Amino acid sequence: MADPVNLSAYRDDTLWAVVALIGRTSRVAEVFSSRMAALADQAWREQQVKAYAHFLRTSKQPVPAYMVKPIKRAELPRGWRPVPALGFLQGKML
């Protein structure tokens, strides 16, 4: 008979990622342990982009889209850093 699994020692490494999309390019913008926090961050980022929509159109910058998806901790690239919501103002979108 197999030994029982100790569920308290089991560590779920699934995180919720807010992913920024521009064309075919995607990048993990931010990572959260809960889906609700990721959805709140996605809404905030979309609100920030909407606030600067006119600026983006006049400067011919692509408008990022955001989505939330589950991601494993091991899937994050080494040296990953969060993407600022208004990174396009500094020329660092993706």
Side-chain angles (χ1 to χ4, degrees), residues 26 32 38 43 45 55 85 89 92:
S26 67
F32 296 92
R45 288 172 184 274
F55 171 76
L89 295 177
K92 301 178 191 173

Side-chain angles (χ1 to χ4, degrees), residues 14-19 29-46 66-70:
T14 300
L15 300 169
W16 291 93
V18 178
V19 179
E30 186 62 87
V31 177
F32 296 92
S33 59
S34 76
R35 185 172 186 271
M36 293 303 292
L39 290 171
D41 185 71
Q42 175 191 15
W44 177 79
R45 288 172 184 274
E46 289 171 345
Y66 295 98
M67 64 181 249
V68 173
K69 71 177 199 169

Side-chain angles (χ1 to χ4, degrees), residues 6 11-12 15 20 24-26 35 38 42 46 48 59 74 76 84 86:
N6 183 357
R11 183 173 151 212
D12 185 19
L15 300 169
R24 294 183 180 183
T25 304
S26 67
R35 185 172 186 271
Q42 175 191 15
E46 289 171 345
Q48 295 297 307
S59 64
L76 285 173
L86 300 176

Side-chain angles (χ1 to χ4, degrees), residues 11 13-15 71-78:
R11 183 173 151 212
D13 69 342
T14 300
L15 300 169
I71 187 171
K72 298 284 186 188
R73 192 176 306 272
E75 294 174 16
L76 285 173
R78 289 185 188 259

